[in-house]
Amino acid sequence: WDSSCVTEPMYLVCTHGKVDMCCSKFGLPILKLLTDYGANVWQCTHVTGDRFAPNVVQVPYGYYYGHLKLEEMLTFYKSLCANEIYFPKYRGRNYNTRHQQAAEYFLRKHLNDFGYDNLLFQTQKTSIEQTSFEIYHVPTSQTYEVVIDCVQSEEQYFMNCLATERKPVEVYSLISLSKLVNEQSLL
């Protein structure tokens, strides 16, 4: 993928009713509204996460959004046009693991920073109980350690509109979040 040929963000809206009718039921009105706003928007088939329908993927950045509602679409679109993640419905980035997405969520919330590409993952350490990340915050040149854990939920959920049985989901919790002392600042 050569992002240099993309001059503006493109939005993919899942409208594939065969996989999950919620995608077409909720995705098609979102597609129409984004089209009305003048966005470079395309309908697409399955992008995973049916239970989050409607799903919108912003490329070339790979940001995923879910459970969007018509009444918030103008605010959503204005955020993205300002090069900011629309955090209330942010699902994560397509090339990050679920654990990375959870760590990113907790750090963005802590820093109140929703700017594109402001976080860079540096290291990851995993044990049986938890996963630790060192994440560099570009605007402040600070590194943070974010420690999370993941368990299966006790509560069970329908995974899509056609589901007949509920299943548990992964639930991520923040164990700790701390600013690390940069070695360069000690010199």
Side-chain angles (χ1 to χ4, degrees):
W1 168 259
D2 179 11
S3 63
S4 65
C5 63
V6 177
T7 59
E8 63 179 277
M10 179 171 43
Y11 306 94
L12 306 175
V13 180
C14 181
T15 59
H16 194 217
K18 273 191 171 180
V19 173
D20 183 4
M21 61 187 168
C22 283
C23 293
S24 60
K25 177 180 179 181
F26 300 118
L28 286 168
I30 297 293
L31 175 80
K32 182 183 180 328
L33 210 47
L34 285 172
T35 301
D36 292 346
Y37 294 153
N40 182 8
V41 62
W42 296 77
Q43 61 182 328
C44 67
T45 61
H46 190 61
V47 296
T48 75
D50 292 339
R51 70 186 181 99
F52 298 108
N55 287 290
V56 175
V57 182
Q58 183 186 20
V59 291
Y61 311 109
Y63 295 125
Y64 274 72
Y65 299 92
H67 288 302
L68 291 161
K69 298 191 181 329
L70 290 174
E71 58 269 16
E72 68 188 325
M73 289 308 296
L74 185 57
T75 305
F76 166 78
Y77 187 61
K78 284 181 178 180
S79 293
L80 277 61
C81 288
N83 293 325
E84 289 194 351
I85 291 167
Y86 183 66
F87 199 65
K89 299 301 174 82
Y90 183 53
R91 287 187 47 209
R93 207 162 186 182
N94 69 336
Y95 58 77
N96 289 346
T97 67
R98 290 179 180 164
H99 285 75
Q100 286 175 316
Q101 290 175 24
E104 176 195 10
Y105 169 85
F106 290 121
L107 184 55
R108 283 189 182 279
K109 185 175 180 180
H110 173 77
L111 296 173
N112 198 34
D113 184 336
F114 312 113
Y116 292 170
D117 297 325
N118 283 356
L119 301 179
L120 300 173
F121 284 88
Q122 295 182 314
T123 64
Q124 175 179 338
K125 297 174 190 163
T126 304
S127 69
I128 294 171
E129 294 88 26
Q130 58 193 27
T131 305
S132 170
F133 296 95
E134 286 185 10
I135 306 173
Y136 182 75
H137 184 236
V138 175
T140 61
S141 301
Q142 294 292 315
T143 302
Y144 291 82
E145 180 183 50
V146 181
V147 182
I148 61 169
D149 75 348
C150 177
V151 296
Q152 290 291 312
S153 64
E154 290 183 24
E155 193 170 345
Q156 298 195 353
Y157 301 89
F158 290 114
M159 295 297 126
N160 61 45
C161 287
L162 300 174
T164 57
E165 69 178 69
R166 297 173 185 253
K167 296 181 181 180
V169 297
E170 292 177 338
V171 177
Y172 294 89
S173 299
L174 178 64
I175 304 298
S176 66
L177 191 156
S178 56
K179 186 187 308 183
L180 300 177
V181 176
N182 290 339
E183 290 181 22
Q184 294 173 342
S185 65
L186 297 175
L187 299 177

